[in-house]
Amino acid sequence: MAIVELVMPKMGESIMEATILRWHKKPGDQVKSDETVLEIATDKVDSEVPSIADGEITEILFAENDVVPVGTVIARINTAADAGFTTTAPVAPSAAQEAPAVVREEAPVSQETVSAPYEAQFVTSGARFYSPLVLTIAQQEGISFAELEKIPGTGNEGRVTKKDILNFVEAKSKGLTPVAAPVAQRTEAPAPAEQPVSRPAAAVTPAATTSNGVGAQPVSAPVSTGNYGGNVEIIEMDRMRKLIAEHMVRSKHTSPHVTSFAEADVTNMVKWRDQVKKDFEKREGEKITFTPLFIEAMIKCIKRFPLLNSSLDGDKIIVKKDINIGMATALPTGNLIVPVIRNADMLNLVGLTRQVNQLANAARQNRLKPDDTQNGTITLTNVGTFGSLAGTPIINQPQVAILAVGAIKKRPVVIETSHGDTIAIRHMMYLSLSYDHRIVDGALGSTFLSAVAQELENFDENRSY
Protein backbone atom coordinates (compact mmCIF):
# COMPACT_ATOMS: atom_id res chain seq x y z
CA MET A 1 0.00 0.00 0.00
CA ALA A 2 1.09 3.62 -0.56
CA ILE A 3 -0.13 7.03 0.45
CA VAL A 4 -0.83 9.77 -2.07
CA GLU A 5 -1.21 13.30 -0.74
CA LEU A 6 -3.86 15.63 -2.11
CA VAL A 7 -2.65 19.23 -1.89
CA MET A 8 -4.41 22.57 -2.11
CA PRO A 9 -4.20 23.43 -5.83
CA LYS A 10 -2.65 26.60 -7.24
CA MET A 11 -5.24 28.53 -9.21
CA GLY A 12 -3.37 31.51 -10.57
CA GLU A 13 -0.51 33.86 -9.91
CA SER A 14 -0.48 35.56 -6.51
CA ILE A 15 -3.33 33.39 -5.16
CA MET A 16 -1.71 32.03 -2.04
CA GLU A 17 -4.61 30.43 -0.17
CA ALA A 18 -8.10 29.04 -0.54
CA THR A 19 -11.07 28.36 1.73
CA ILE A 20 -12.54 24.89 2.03
CA LEU A 21 -16.26 25.20 1.34
CA ARG A 22 -17.42 21.60 1.56
CA TRP A 23 -15.99 18.08 1.82
CA HIS A 24 -17.71 15.51 -0.40
CA LYS A 25 -15.76 12.65 1.19
CA LYS A 26 -14.86 11.61 4.72
CA PRO A 27 -12.19 9.28 6.11
CA GLY A 28 -12.91 5.70 5.13
CA ASP A 29 -14.77 6.61 1.92
CA GLN A 30 -13.66 5.10 -1.36
CA VAL A 31 -12.78 7.55 -4.10
CA LYS A 32 -11.99 7.20 -7.79
CA SER A 33 -9.62 9.26 -9.86
CA ASP A 34 -11.23 12.54 -11.00
CA GLU A 35 -14.08 12.16 -8.49
CA THR A 36 -14.79 15.36 -6.57
CA VAL A 37 -13.32 15.27 -3.07
CA LEU A 38 -14.02 18.82 -1.93
CA GLU A 39 -15.04 22.31 -3.03
CA ILE A 40 -12.81 25.32 -2.45
CA ALA A 41 -13.01 29.09 -2.90
CA THR A 42 -10.49 31.87 -3.38
CA ASP A 43 -10.96 35.61 -3.72
CA LYS A 44 -11.09 35.02 -7.50
CA VAL A 45 -12.76 31.69 -8.28
CA ASP A 46 -14.61 28.75 -6.73
CA SER A 47 -13.85 25.20 -7.82
CA GLU A 48 -14.16 21.50 -7.19
CA VAL A 49 -10.98 19.57 -6.39
CA PRO A 50 -10.96 16.01 -7.78
CA SER A 51 -9.07 13.01 -6.49
CA ILE A 52 -5.73 12.27 -8.13
CA ALA A 53 -5.93 8.51 -7.65
CA ASP A 54 -8.19 5.57 -6.88
CA GLY A 55 -8.20 4.53 -3.26
CA GLU A 56 -9.53 5.20 0.22
CA ILE A 57 -9.57 8.55 1.99
CA THR A 58 -7.51 7.83 5.08
CA GLU A 59 -7.14 11.31 6.52
CA ILE A 60 -8.69 14.78 6.14
CA LEU A 61 -6.43 17.44 7.61
CA PHE A 62 -8.63 20.55 7.50
CA ALA A 63 -12.25 21.35 8.32
CA GLU A 64 -14.81 23.24 6.27
CA ASN A 65 -14.30 27.02 6.29
CA ASP A 66 -10.59 26.62 7.07
CA VAL A 67 -8.26 28.85 5.03
CA VAL A 68 -5.40 26.75 3.67
CA PRO A 69 -2.20 27.91 1.90
CA VAL A 70 -1.63 26.72 -1.67
CA GLY A 71 0.50 23.56 -1.80
CA THR A 72 -0.50 22.39 1.69
CA VAL A 73 -1.52 18.74 2.07
CA ILE A 74 -5.26 18.66 2.76
CA ALA A 75 -6.02 14.92 2.56
CA ARG A 76 -4.34 11.55 2.12
CA ILE A 77 -5.45 8.71 -0.13
CA ASN A 78 -4.40 5.08 0.43
CA THR A 79 -3.83 3.30 -2.86
CA ALA A 80 -2.24 0.02 -3.99
CA ALA A 81 1.04 0.07 -5.95
CA ASP A 82 3.61 -2.44 -7.17
CA ALA A 83 7.32 -1.90 -6.68
CA GLY A 84 8.70 0.65 -9.08
CA PHE A 85 5.25 1.53 -10.40
CA THR A 86 4.82 5.16 -11.44
CA THR A 87 1.55 6.89 -12.14
CA THR A 88 0.67 10.35 -13.37
CA ALA A 89 -1.96 12.23 -11.45
CA PRO A 90 -4.95 13.01 -13.70
CA VAL A 91 -5.25 16.71 -14.41
CA ALA A 92 -8.23 18.58 -15.76
CA PRO A 93 -8.01 18.91 -19.58
CA SER A 94 -7.86 22.69 -19.29
CA ALA A 95 -4.74 22.60 -17.14
CA ALA A 96 -1.65 24.04 -18.73
CA GLN A 97 0.64 21.19 -17.65
CA GLU A 98 0.33 17.76 -16.10
CA ALA A 99 1.63 17.38 -12.56
CA PRO A 100 3.22 13.96 -11.97
CA ALA A 101 2.52 12.06 -8.80
CA VAL A 102 4.92 9.19 -8.15
CA VAL A 103 3.65 6.36 -5.96
CA ARG A 104 6.33 4.08 -4.56
CA GLU A 105 6.09 0.72 -2.81
CA GLU A 106 5.69 1.04 0.92
CA ALA A 107 8.76 0.10 2.98
CA PRO A 108 8.29 -2.54 5.68
CA VAL A 109 8.46 0.01 8.50
CA SER A 110 7.66 3.43 7.08
CA GLN A 111 5.40 4.77 4.38
CA GLU A 112 6.63 7.01 1.60
CA THR A 113 4.29 9.84 0.74
CA VAL A 114 4.18 11.94 -2.38
CA SER A 115 2.52 15.26 -3.13
CA ALA A 116 0.60 15.62 -6.37
CA PRO A 117 -0.14 19.25 -7.11
CA TYR A 118 -3.26 19.77 -9.16
CA GLU A 119 -3.22 22.71 -11.60
CA ALA A 120 -6.45 23.75 -13.30
CA GLN A 121 -8.25 26.52 -15.07
CA PHE A 122 -11.80 27.28 -13.97
CA VAL A 123 -14.75 28.06 -16.20
CA THR A 124 -18.14 29.60 -15.67
CA SER A 125 -21.00 30.04 -18.07
CA GLY A 126 -24.04 32.21 -17.63
CA ALA A 127 -25.15 32.19 -14.03
CA ARG A 128 -23.50 28.93 -12.96
CA PHE A 129 -20.03 27.59 -12.34
CA TYR A 130 -18.80 24.43 -14.11
CA SER A 131 -15.60 22.67 -13.13
CA PRO A 132 -13.19 21.38 -15.82
CA LEU A 133 -14.22 17.80 -15.05
CA VAL A 134 -17.92 18.57 -15.60
CA LEU A 135 -17.14 20.43 -18.83
CA THR A 136 -15.01 17.55 -20.09
CA ILE A 137 -17.82 15.06 -19.48
CA ALA A 138 -20.28 17.40 -21.17
CA GLN A 139 -18.03 17.67 -24.22
CA GLN A 140 -17.52 13.92 -24.41
CA GLU A 141 -21.24 13.24 -24.10
CA GLY A 142 -22.29 16.00 -26.52
CA ILE A 143 -24.13 18.03 -23.87
CA SER A 144 -24.60 21.68 -24.79
CA PHE A 145 -24.37 24.61 -22.36
CA ALA A 146 -28.12 25.02 -22.71
CA GLU A 147 -28.55 21.45 -21.42
CA LEU A 148 -26.02 22.06 -18.65
CA GLU A 149 -28.19 24.92 -17.40
CA LYS A 150 -31.05 22.42 -16.93
CA ILE A 151 -29.11 19.99 -14.76
CA PRO A 152 -30.08 20.19 -11.07
CA GLY A 153 -26.90 20.80 -9.08
CA THR A 154 -26.33 19.22 -5.67
CA GLY A 155 -22.99 20.94 -5.06
CA ASN A 156 -22.35 24.09 -3.08
CA GLU A 157 -24.62 26.95 -4.21
CA GLY A 158 -26.28 24.62 -6.70
CA ARG A 159 -23.14 23.67 -8.62
CA VAL A 160 -23.25 20.70 -10.96
CA THR A 161 -21.05 17.87 -9.69
CA LYS A 162 -19.67 14.86 -11.55
CA LYS A 163 -22.45 12.72 -10.09
CA ASP A 164 -25.10 15.19 -11.26
CA ILE A 165 -23.93 15.24 -14.86
CA LEU A 166 -23.50 11.45 -15.00
CA ASN A 167 -27.06 11.03 -13.71
CA PHE A 168 -28.20 13.46 -16.39
CA VAL A 169 -26.36 11.49 -19.09
CA GLU A 170 -27.95 8.25 -17.89
CA ALA A 171 -31.43 9.80 -17.81
CA LYS A 172 -30.95 11.25 -21.26
CA SER A 173 -29.84 7.89 -22.65
CA LYS A 174 -33.10 6.39 -21.33
CA GLY A 175 -35.16 9.11 -22.95
CA LEU A 176 -36.17 10.69 -19.66
CA THR A 177 -36.87 14.45 -19.47
CA PRO A 178 -34.38 16.22 -17.17
CA VAL A 179 -35.70 18.49 -14.43
CA ALA A 180 -34.70 22.10 -14.93
CA ALA A 181 -32.32 23.46 -12.33
CA PRO A 182 -33.36 26.60 -10.48
CA VAL A 183 -31.28 29.46 -11.81
CA ALA A 184 -31.20 32.91 -10.26
CA GLN A 185 -33.02 35.54 -12.25
CA ARG A 186 -30.65 37.29 -14.59
CA THR A 187 -30.26 40.91 -15.35
CA GLU A 188 -28.35 42.15 -18.31
CA ALA A 189 -25.51 44.50 -17.45
CA PRO A 190 -25.01 47.43 -19.80
CA ALA A 191 -22.13 47.20 -22.24
CA PRO A 192 -19.15 49.28 -21.13
CA ALA A 193 -19.41 52.97 -22.07
CA GLU A 194 -21.74 52.60 -25.01
CA GLN A 195 -23.36 56.03 -24.60
CA PRO A 196 -21.29 59.01 -25.68
CA VAL A 197 -22.45 61.21 -22.83
CA SER A 198 -23.15 60.32 -19.19
CA ARG A 199 -22.63 56.70 -20.10
CA PRO A 200 -21.91 53.58 -18.09
CA ALA A 201 -18.46 52.12 -18.63
CA ALA A 202 -16.43 50.35 -15.98
CA ALA A 203 -16.91 50.12 -12.25
CA VAL A 204 -16.21 52.17 -9.16
CA THR A 205 -14.53 49.94 -6.67
CA PRO A 206 -11.22 48.03 -7.03
CA ALA A 207 -10.74 44.30 -7.14
CA ALA A 208 -13.51 42.02 -6.11
CA THR A 209 -14.35 38.45 -7.08
CA THR A 210 -16.24 36.38 -9.56
CA SER A 211 -19.73 35.29 -8.68
CA ASN A 212 -21.95 32.31 -9.33
CA GLY A 213 -25.33 34.02 -8.90
CA VAL A 214 -26.25 36.47 -11.62
CA GLY A 215 -28.75 39.16 -10.75
CA ALA A 216 -29.69 37.41 -7.51
CA GLN A 217 -30.57 39.59 -4.56
CA PRO A 218 -29.47 38.61 -1.04
CA VAL A 219 -32.13 36.61 0.76
CA SER A 220 -32.30 36.68 4.53
CA ALA A 221 -34.37 34.56 6.85
CA PRO A 222 -36.36 36.30 9.57
CA VAL A 223 -34.04 36.96 12.49
CA SER A 224 -34.26 38.59 15.87
CA THR A 225 -33.93 42.36 15.70
CA GLY A 226 -31.76 42.28 18.83
CA ASN A 227 -30.52 45.78 19.66
CA TYR A 228 -30.83 47.10 16.09
CA GLY A 229 -34.27 48.65 16.57
CA GLY A 230 -37.73 47.52 15.63
CA ASN A 231 -38.16 47.81 11.85
CA VAL A 232 -34.96 46.39 10.34
CA GLU A 233 -33.77 43.66 8.02
CA ILE A 234 -30.49 41.92 8.80
CA ILE A 235 -28.56 40.49 5.85
CA GLU A 236 -25.47 38.41 6.44
CA MET A 237 -22.56 39.39 4.19
CA ASP A 238 -21.76 36.74 1.62
CA ARG A 239 -18.18 35.56 1.17
CA MET A 240 -17.49 37.89 -1.76
CA ARG A 241 -18.70 40.96 0.06
CA LYS A 242 -16.57 40.05 3.08
CA LEU A 243 -13.52 39.78 0.82
CA ILE A 244 -14.29 43.14 -0.78
CA ALA A 245 -14.67 44.74 2.64
CA GLU A 246 -11.39 43.25 3.87
CA HIS A 247 -9.60 44.38 0.71
CA MET A 248 -10.85 47.94 1.04
CA VAL A 249 -10.04 48.23 4.76
CA ARG A 250 -6.58 46.75 4.19
CA SER A 251 -5.90 49.24 1.40
CA LYS A 252 -6.90 52.24 3.53
CA HIS A 253 -4.86 50.88 6.43
CA THR A 254 -1.82 50.26 4.20
CA SER A 255 -1.69 53.42 2.08
CA PRO A 256 -2.16 57.04 3.13
CA HIS A 257 -4.62 58.05 0.41
CA VAL A 258 -4.57 61.43 -1.29
CA THR A 259 -7.00 62.33 -4.08
CA SER A 260 -6.50 65.10 -6.64
CA PHE A 261 -9.11 66.35 -9.11
CA ALA A 262 -9.00 67.80 -12.62
CA GLU A 263 -11.49 68.77 -15.31
CA ALA A 264 -11.18 67.95 -18.99
CA ASP A 265 -12.97 69.22 -22.10
CA VAL A 266 -13.45 65.97 -24.03
CA THR A 267 -15.57 67.42 -26.84
CA ASN A 268 -13.11 66.42 -29.57
CA MET A 269 -12.95 62.85 -28.27
CA VAL A 270 -16.75 62.54 -28.09
CA LYS A 271 -17.21 63.92 -31.61
CA TRP A 272 -14.49 61.65 -33.03
CA ARG A 273 -16.05 58.54 -31.50
CA ASP A 274 -19.50 59.51 -32.80
CA GLN A 275 -18.03 59.85 -36.29
CA VAL A 276 -16.09 56.57 -36.41
CA LYS A 277 -18.04 54.12 -34.23
CA LYS A 278 -20.19 52.65 -37.02
CA ASP A 279 -17.29 52.25 -39.43
CA PHE A 280 -15.08 50.93 -36.62
CA GLU A 281 -17.58 48.21 -35.71
CA LYS A 282 -18.09 47.27 -39.36
CA ARG A 283 -14.38 47.07 -40.05
CA GLU A 284 -13.05 45.59 -36.80
CA GLY A 285 -16.10 43.70 -35.54
CA GLU A 286 -15.87 45.49 -32.18
CA LYS A 287 -17.76 48.35 -30.62
CA ILE A 288 -15.45 51.16 -29.60
CA THR A 289 -16.19 52.65 -26.19
CA PHE A 290 -14.54 55.47 -24.29
CA THR A 291 -12.61 53.08 -22.06
CA PRO A 292 -9.78 52.27 -24.53
CA LEU A 293 -9.44 56.00 -25.23
CA PHE A 294 -8.99 56.68 -21.51
CA ILE A 295 -6.46 53.84 -21.27
CA GLU A 296 -4.55 55.14 -24.28
CA ALA A 297 -4.17 58.54 -22.58
CA MET A 298 -3.08 56.88 -19.32
CA ILE A 299 -0.38 54.88 -21.09
CA LYS A 300 1.15 57.98 -22.70
CA CYS A 301 1.35 59.71 -19.31
CA ILE A 302 2.68 56.66 -17.43
CA LYS A 303 5.65 56.63 -19.80
CA ARG A 304 6.36 60.21 -18.75
CA PHE A 305 5.75 59.56 -15.04
CA PRO A 306 6.79 55.92 -14.42
CA LEU A 307 6.60 56.24 -10.62
CA LEU A 308 2.80 56.00 -10.92
CA ASN A 309 3.35 52.47 -12.27
CA SER A 310 5.06 51.08 -9.18
CA SER A 311 4.58 49.37 -5.84
CA LEU A 312 6.21 49.51 -2.43
CA ASP A 313 8.10 46.68 -0.72
CA GLY A 314 9.13 47.87 2.72
CA ASP A 315 11.41 50.81 2.02
CA LYS A 316 12.02 49.79 -1.60
CA ILE A 317 10.12 51.31 -4.53
CA ILE A 318 9.51 48.73 -7.26
CA VAL A 319 9.02 50.52 -10.59
CA LYS A 320 7.19 48.22 -13.02
CA LYS A 321 8.47 48.17 -16.59
CA ASP A 322 5.34 46.43 -17.84
CA ILE A 323 2.22 48.57 -18.04
CA ASN A 324 -0.69 46.35 -17.01
CA ILE A 325 -3.89 48.37 -16.77
CA GLY A 326 -6.59 47.14 -14.41
CA MET A 327 -10.09 47.91 -15.63
CA ALA A 328 -12.65 47.96 -12.82
CA THR A 329 -15.82 46.26 -14.08
CA ALA A 330 -19.26 45.86 -12.50
CA LEU A 331 -20.71 42.37 -12.26
CA PRO A 332 -24.43 41.72 -12.70
CA THR A 333 -24.60 40.80 -8.99
CA GLY A 334 -23.49 44.27 -7.94
CA ASN A 335 -20.04 43.05 -6.99
CA LEU A 336 -16.96 44.25 -8.83
CA ILE A 337 -13.83 42.81 -10.34
CA VAL A 338 -10.70 44.21 -11.99
CA PRO A 339 -9.56 42.30 -15.09
CA VAL A 340 -6.12 43.33 -16.31
CA ILE A 341 -4.94 44.34 -19.79
CA ARG A 342 -1.37 43.08 -19.83
CA ASN A 343 1.33 45.01 -21.68
CA ALA A 344 -1.24 47.59 -22.66
CA ASP A 345 1.46 49.86 -24.03
CA MET A 346 2.18 47.28 -26.74
CA LEU A 347 -1.36 47.52 -28.15
CA ASN A 348 -2.79 50.01 -30.61
CA LEU A 349 -6.30 51.39 -30.23
CA VAL A 350 -7.88 48.42 -32.00
CA GLY A 351 -6.00 46.00 -29.75
CA LEU A 352 -7.01 47.92 -26.63
CA THR A 353 -10.63 47.91 -27.77
CA ARG A 354 -10.61 44.14 -28.28
CA GLN A 355 -9.06 43.55 -24.87
CA VAL A 356 -11.50 45.90 -23.12
CA ASN A 357 -14.53 44.27 -24.73
CA GLN A 358 -13.34 40.70 -24.23
CA LEU A 359 -12.46 41.17 -20.57
CA ALA A 360 -15.63 43.12 -19.80
CA ASN A 361 -17.82 40.46 -21.44
CA ALA A 362 -15.94 37.63 -19.72
CA ALA A 363 -16.36 39.37 -16.36
CA ARG A 364 -20.10 39.85 -16.78
CA GLN A 365 -20.53 36.23 -17.88
CA ASN A 366 -18.33 34.92 -15.04
CA ARG A 367 -15.83 33.48 -17.50
CA LEU A 368 -12.69 35.21 -16.25
CA LYS A 369 -9.74 32.95 -15.48
CA PRO A 370 -7.68 33.59 -12.34
CA ASP A 371 -4.75 35.01 -14.30
CA ASP A 372 -7.05 37.59 -15.94
CA THR A 373 -7.11 39.55 -12.68
CA GLN A 374 -3.45 39.28 -11.72
CA ASN A 375 -0.41 41.59 -11.91
CA GLY A 376 -2.15 44.89 -12.57
CA THR A 377 0.16 47.88 -12.12
CA ILE A 378 -2.38 50.75 -12.14
CA THR A 379 -6.18 50.83 -12.32
CA LEU A 380 -8.83 52.77 -14.23
CA THR A 381 -12.32 53.01 -12.77
CA ASN A 382 -15.39 54.83 -14.03
CA VAL A 383 -17.43 56.51 -11.33
CA GLY A 384 -19.64 57.95 -14.06
CA THR A 385 -21.16 54.52 -14.64
CA PHE A 386 -24.19 55.40 -12.55
CA GLY A 387 -24.11 59.14 -13.11
CA SER A 388 -21.50 60.28 -10.58
CA LEU A 389 -19.53 63.36 -11.56
CA ALA A 390 -16.47 62.48 -9.49
CA GLY A 391 -15.27 60.13 -6.79
CA THR A 392 -12.41 59.21 -4.48
CA PRO A 393 -11.57 55.59 -5.40
CA ILE A 394 -9.62 53.30 -3.09
CA ILE A 395 -6.21 52.10 -4.30
CA ASN A 396 -6.07 48.50 -5.51
CA GLN A 397 -3.17 47.09 -3.48
CA PRO A 398 -0.26 46.70 -4.06
CA GLN A 399 -0.59 49.42 -6.70
CA VAL A 400 0.04 53.05 -5.80
CA ALA A 401 -2.57 54.85 -7.91
CA ILE A 402 -6.07 54.54 -9.36
CA LEU A 403 -7.59 56.94 -11.89
CA ALA A 404 -11.33 57.62 -11.84
CA VAL A 405 -13.29 59.23 -14.67
CA GLY A 406 -16.71 60.77 -14.10
CA ALA A 407 -19.78 61.16 -16.27
CA ILE A 408 -19.44 63.27 -19.41
CA LYS A 409 -21.84 66.21 -19.24
CA LYS A 410 -22.67 69.00 -21.65
CA ARG A 411 -22.11 72.36 -19.98
CA PRO A 412 -21.70 76.00 -21.03
CA VAL A 413 -18.05 76.93 -20.52
CA VAL A 414 -15.81 79.86 -21.33
CA ILE A 415 -13.36 79.13 -24.12
CA GLU A 416 -10.59 81.26 -25.57
CA THR A 417 -10.65 82.05 -29.29
CA SER A 418 -8.64 84.29 -31.57
CA HIS A 419 -11.46 86.81 -31.23
CA GLY A 420 -11.50 86.69 -27.43
CA ASP A 421 -13.41 84.73 -24.81
CA THR A 422 -16.76 83.19 -25.66
CA ILE A 423 -19.26 80.83 -24.09
CA ALA A 424 -19.86 77.49 -25.80
CA ILE A 425 -21.56 74.17 -25.07
CA ARG A 426 -18.82 71.58 -24.44
CA HIS A 427 -18.58 67.98 -23.27
CA MET A 428 -16.93 68.19 -19.84
CA MET A 429 -15.66 65.46 -17.53
CA TYR A 430 -14.04 65.37 -14.09
CA LEU A 431 -11.09 63.10 -13.37
CA SER A 432 -9.74 62.11 -9.97
CA LEU A 433 -6.56 60.30 -8.99
CA SER A 434 -6.12 58.56 -5.65
CA TYR A 435 -2.47 57.82 -4.90
CA ASP A 436 -0.25 56.43 -2.17
CA HIS A 437 1.34 59.42 -0.41
CA ARG A 438 4.25 57.26 0.78
CA ILE A 439 5.55 57.23 -2.81
CA VAL A 440 3.59 59.80 -4.79
CA ASP A 441 3.64 63.37 -3.52
CA GLY A 442 0.93 65.89 -4.35
CA ALA A 443 3.07 67.58 -7.00
CA LEU A 444 3.67 64.35 -8.91
CA GLY A 445 0.09 63.10 -8.51
CA SER A 446 -1.43 66.38 -9.66
CA THR A 447 1.03 66.70 -12.55
CA PHE A 448 0.21 63.21 -13.78
CA LEU A 449 -3.52 63.84 -13.51
CA SER A 450 -3.22 67.15 -15.38
CA ALA A 451 -1.21 65.39 -18.10
CA VAL A 452 -3.98 62.82 -18.59
CA ALA A 453 -6.57 65.60 -18.75
CA GLN A 454 -4.49 67.43 -21.37
CA GLU A 455 -4.14 64.27 -23.45
CA LEU A 456 -7.91 63.95 -23.53
CA GLU A 457 -8.45 67.63 -24.29
CA ASN A 458 -5.91 67.59 -27.13
CA PHE A 459 -7.52 64.57 -28.76
CA ASP A 460 -6.96 64.71 -32.53
CA GLU A 461 -10.32 64.79 -34.32
CA ASN A 462 -8.65 63.83 -37.59
CA ARG A 463 -6.79 60.79 -36.35
CA SER A 464 -7.33 57.31 -37.71
CA TYR A 465 -7.69 54.22 -35.60
Side-chain angles (χ1 to χ4, degrees):
M1 301 295 289
I3 298 295
V4 173
E5 295 178 338
L6 183 65
V7 303
M8 180 62 74
K10 180 176 175 61
M11 290 158 287
E13 298 178 35
S14 82
I15 297 179
M16 305 307 297
E17 61 187 18
T19 302
I20 296 175
L21 295 179
R22 177 185 175 190
W23 284 100
H24 288 258
K25 299 293 181 180
K26 60 182 182 295
D29 286 353
Q30 295 294 318
V31 65
K32 294 184 178 180
S33 180
D34 286 339
E35 186 177 359
T36 298
V37 177
L38 72 157
E39 297 175 19
I40 61 174
T42 71
D43 60 344
K44 303 298 179 186
V45 293
D46 295 354
S47 180
E48 298 171 347
V49 178
S51 172
I52 57 176
D54 294 347
E56 178 185 327
I57 301 290
T58 60
E59 191 175 6
I60 288 177
L61 304 179
F62 294 92
E64 292 179 359
N65 298 319
D66 282 354
V67 178
V68 183
V70 167
T72 303
V73 178
I74 53 178
R76 292 188 173 96
I77 303 171
N78 203 349
T79 180
D82 295 327
F85 178 74
T86 301
T87 182
T88 301
V91 181
S94 57
Q97 297 178 346
E98 292 185 349
V102 180
V103 181
R104 298 182 178 87
E105 185 179 8
E106 178 184 285
V109 178
S110 63
Q111 295 181 349
E112 184 164 356
T113 62
V114 291
S115 296
Y118 171 78
E119 300 271 352
Q121 301 286 339
F122 306 96
V123 184
T124 58
S125 173
R128 307 176 74 190
F129 170 88
Y130 300 103
S131 69
L133 177 59
V134 169
L135 292 176
T136 300
I137 295 173
Q139 183 178 15
Q140 293 173 346
E141 299 294 337
I143 298 173
S144 66
F145 276 115
E147 290 178 301
L148 276 177
E149 294 286 337
K150 299 178 181 179
I151 300 177
T154 60
N156 187 57
E157 297 183 358
R159 293 192 191 93
V160 176
T161 65
K162 177 183 177 182
K163 182 179 179 181
D164 295 332
I165 193 170
L166 291 179
N167 289 341
F168 178 87
V169 171
E170 182 180 0
K172 185 178 179 181
S173 66
K174 296 178 179 179
L176 301 177
T177 303
V179 179
V183 178
Q185 183 180 2
R186 304 182 187 183
T187 57
E188 295 295 330
E194 286 303 317
Q195 301 177 7
V197 180
S198 305
R199 76 280 172 234
V204 178
T205 312
T209 53
T210 54
S211 168
N212 296 315
V214 177
Q217 296 297 322
V219 178
S220 60
V223 295
S224 171
T225 57
N227 296 323
Y228 301 110
N231 188 20
V232 300
E233 179 184 11
I234 301 172
I235 299 175
E236 185 73 23
M237 277 189 182
D238 61 20
R239 183 183 59 85
M240 292 189 307
R241 183 50 55 183
K242 289 178 182 178
L243 289 169
I244 293 171
E246 292 170 3
H247 190 76
M248 298 298 98
V249 171
R250 183 168 64 251
S251 181
K252 295 290 283 187
H253 178 76
T254 301
S255 301
H257 282 55
V258 177
T259 304
S260 296
F261 295 85
E263 185 178 32
D265 182 343
V266 293
T267 304
N268 291 348
M269 183 181 71
V270 172
K271 289 182 177 179
W272 179 84
R273 178 182 172 272
D274 287 343
Q275 292 170 359
V276 306
K277 62 182 181 182
K278 290 183 179 179
D279 182 66
F280 188 97
E281 183 175 3
K282 181 178 179 181
R283 175 176 165 181
E284 305 297 337
E286 296 283 350
K287 292 183 178 180
I288 184 168
T289 67
F290 287 108
T291 302
L293 302 177
F294 296 146
I295 292 174
E296 185 182 57
M298 286 180 66
I299 292 169
K300 293 178 181 179
C301 297
I302 289 170
K303 291 180 177 180
R304 293 164 54 190
F305 305 98
L307 201 59
L308 274 294
N309 198 60
S310 64
S311 62
L312 189 64
D313 182 12
D315 58 358
K316 296 181 178 64
I317 298 174
I318 314 299
V319 180
K320 308 296 179 65
K321 300 300 183 181
D322 295 330
I323 300 178
N324 301 332
I325 307 292
M327 181 185 68
T329 305
L331 296 173
T333 56
N335 289 312
L336 302 134
I337 195 167
V338 184
V340 175
I341 302 175
R342 297 175 185 269
N343 298 310
D345 56 319
M346 305 297 289
L347 301 174
N348 59 15
L349 184 58
V350 175
L352 287 173
T353 300
R354 292 187 188 280
Q355 283 289 295
V356 166
N357 292 346
Q358 289 172 7
L359 289 172
N361 291 333
R364 292 189 175 102
Q365 296 175 24
N366 294 330
R367 289 189 290 103
L368 285 176
K369 294 177 288 188
D371 285 346
D372 289 335
T373 60
Q374 303 302 310
N375 297 327
T377 57
I378 190 171
T379 296
L380 169 72
T381 183
N382 192 322
V383 298
T385 300
F386 303 107
S388 293
L389 292 177
T392 55
I394 298 176
I395 298 168
N396 187 13
Q397 297 295 329
Q399 300 167 23
V400 300
I402 177 170
L403 177 69
V405 291
I408 299 175
K409 297 285 189 180
K410 286 184 180 181
R411 293 208 313 270
V413 296
V414 176
I415 59 174
E416 296 180 359
T417 69
S418 57
H419 302 290
D421 293 345
T422 186
I423 296 178
I425 303 300
R426 309 292 289 178
H427 296 275
M428 305 300 294
M429 182 182 73
Y430 290 112
L431 301 91
S432 57
L433 181 76
S434 291
Y435 45 93
D436 188 337
H437 213 340
R438 295 175 300 172
I439 300 178
V440 183
D441 292 329
L444 176 58
S446 297
T447 302
F448 173 81
L449 182 61
S450 296
V452 175
Q454 289 173 11
E455 284 289 340
L456 297 175
E457 286 192 337
N458 296 331
F459 193 91
D460 184 5
E461 281 188 275
N462 299 315
R463 64 171 286 181
S464 61
Y465 49 82

